[in-house]
Amino acid sequence: MSAPVAEYDRDLFHPEEEPHHAEGSSTMLGFWIYLMSDCLIFAMLFATYGVLGTSYAGGPGPKELFELPLVALNTSMLLLSSITYGFAMLNMTEGKQRGTLVWLGITGLFGAAFLGIELYEFSTLIHEGATPPTSAFLSSFFTLVGTHGLHVTFGIIWLVTLMVQVARKGLITANRRRLMCLSLFWHFLDVIWIGVFTFVYLMGMLR
Amino acid sequence: MSAVSHGYDHPEHGRQDHEHDDEEAHGSRKGYWIGFALSVVLTAIPFWLVMAKPLSSQATALIIMAFAAAQIIVHMIFFLHMNRRAEGGWSMMALLFTIVIVGISLAGSLWVMYHMNANMMPAQNMQDMGGMG
């Protein structure tokens, strides 16, 4: 009696001739496509900065405003957070919940340090009178760098949320999938930052 | 390369078969360190070039652009674990499509707006051009 029922169940839910698709098996591709759309947003902001970045309207230019040592420090924070997230993922693969949480925490601290330095830079600029309405250059600068900063902010919120999830539920399949999505997001932000420090800060100092 | 050998030469890892994609997508400790070391070099040199100014502005600009492109590729390979096989090749297709769109929009915007600026110069500059046409 029980055997036919089991067969019936299998036929209904998992036909043998079809490959078994794990729950959320297409999530990573979907998330990747989301990231590519995010990439297009940044491309538009980079293009806007490229077009407007030399329109100072009599206001200060990059050479008077940017401090490269600060940008270098900022860049190293983000780069360090990328490799610490990598270590969190390796710990996750090895099934080490504690290690994963510790490395996620360190990643979050580096991310927060990056954000703190960026906010310090923004406040310094605004105190110097270099506000977004001053010139098209500053409008596009604050929009581009600010959008990246917002992404990092949401990344940190997401990271803290996942730390709570992992602490409460452990490294279950759903949490692993979420951590992999955030991994893509976090490394992607580092990729965008390469464009920002090269195109905005370094090229700005060369003008 | 390591992902391929992992797939075909290490049957002892079969117990994690269902997490096979996971492992491919996470890279190795060595991979992360290589990516990190390359990134540090590819970041430090452009900053040094701009701060110490050993070369002309134009040469520096070209070099830092090349270094940025190289570092983006390094991040793609060692941190984002991009390869032609991820998600049955669809990740790479989405990436290539995005690169094409990004290239068109960036190059197109800069090109169009540069010519727009050149053709909408103030009147006193236009007189020079009027002589030519």
Side-chain angles (χ1 to χ4, degrees):
Chain A
M1 185 68 195
S2 64
V5 171
E7 249 176 37
Y8 173 75
D9 278 355
R10 195 161 61 238
D11 282 350
L12 189 60
F13 296 114
H14 296 291
E16 271 171 316
E17 60 270 23
E18 276 185 31
H20 176 75
H21 288 289
E23 177 212 349
S25 65
S26 55
T27 304
M28 298 320 292
L29 179 60
F31 195 77
W32 179 255
I33 289 170
Y34 152 69
L35 281 185
M36 292 296 100
S37 77
D38 224 20
C39 194
L40 295 181
I41 291 178
F42 279 110
M44 293 303 120
L45 294 176
F46 273 112
T48 308
Y49 181 82
V51 167
L52 300 177
T54 48
S55 308
Y56 306 128
K63 275 185 180 159
E64 296 135 68
L65 295 176
F66 296 160
E67 287 176 49
L68 282 190
L70 199 64
V71 181
L73 183 68
N74 220 351
T75 304
S76 57
M77 288 301 135
L78 209 55
L79 194 52
L80 283 167
S81 82
S82 241
I83 191 171
T84 56
Y85 201 106
F87 291 155
M89 291 305 278
L90 291 171
N91 272 281
M92 185 196 88
T93 319
E94 291 157 9
K96 294 174 185 162
Q97 183 178 338
R98 198 181 152 76
T100 309
L101 280 174
V102 168
W103 283 114
L104 282 180
I106 295 171
T107 307
L109 290 178
F110 277 127
F114 169 85
L115 215 55
I117 294 166
E118 187 159 273
L119 287 175
Y120 166 77
E121 187 200 15
F122 278 11
S123 75
T124 313
L125 290 181
I126 289 167
H127 277 296
E128 288 169 1
T131 53
T134 307
S135 65
F137 153 63
L138 283 167
S139 306
S140 54
F141 166 80
F142 276 101
T143 312
L144 172 57
V145 181
T147 304
H148 180 271
L150 266 182
H151 274 74
V152 176
T153 309
F154 286 118
I156 292 172
I157 295 170
W158 187 359
L159 187 112
V160 172
T161 312
L162 279 189
M163 282 178 72
V164 173
Q165 293 263 34
V166 171
R168 290 180 61 175
K169 301 254 172 76
L171 292 169
I172 55 173
T173 312
N175 279 343
R176 285 167 179 258
R177 192 173 68 238
R178 290 164 186 152
L179 284 169
M180 280 170 72
C181 284
L182 181 56
S183 165
L184 284 181
F185 185 80
W186 200 268
H187 293 307
F188 170 76
L189 286 181
D190 208 0
V191 171
I192 296 295
W193 184 253
I194 298 168
V196 173
F197 81 69
T198 303
F199 195 55
V200 175
Y201 290 100
L202 294 181
M203 298 289 267
M205 297 303 273
L206 290 176
R207 276 206 289 271
Chain B
M1 267 184 289
S2 64
V4 172
S5 65
H6 171 83
Y8 299 108
D9 301 342
H10 295 279
E12 69 269 25
H13 285 193
R15 63 184 172 81
Q16 287 181 324
D17 233 14
H18 65 290
E19 287 165 7
H20 182 73
D21 286 339
D22 276 14
E23 289 199 22
E24 270 194 13
H26 294 156
S28 61
R29 211 161 288 266
K30 193 180 154 204
Y32 279 112
W33 278 116
I34 293 171
F36 182 71
L38 285 174
S39 298
V40 168
V41 172
L42 290 170
T43 303
I45 292 174
F47 269 93
W48 176 75
L49 282 176
V50 172
M51 286 161 113
K53 291 193 172 58
L55 300 167
S56 72
S57 279
Q58 207 166 13
T60 310
L62 283 175
I63 294 171
I64 64 175
M65 295 273 270
F67 272 64
Q71 188 173 181
I72 287 173
I73 294 169
V74 165
H75 278 237
M76 285 282 178
I77 293 172
F78 291 102
F79 293 160
L80 286 162
H81 312 299
M82 276 304 290
N83 57 56
R84 273 170 298 160
R85 286 167 292 106
E87 301 288 344
W90 286 107
S91 292
M92 186 56 85
M93 291 306 288
L95 176 67
L96 290 176
F97 177 70
T98 308
I99 290 171
V100 169
I101 300 288
V102 166
I104 290 172
S105 55
L106 276 180
S109 302
L110 294 173
W111 182 59
V112 167
M113 293 310 287
Y114 173 79
H115 286 280
M116 187 98 97
N117 283 337
N119 290 328
M120 295 181 82
M121 279 189 289
Q124 64 268 24
N125 294 339
M126 287 299 279
Q127 282 168 357
D128 301 335
M129 296 186 76
M132 298 192 301

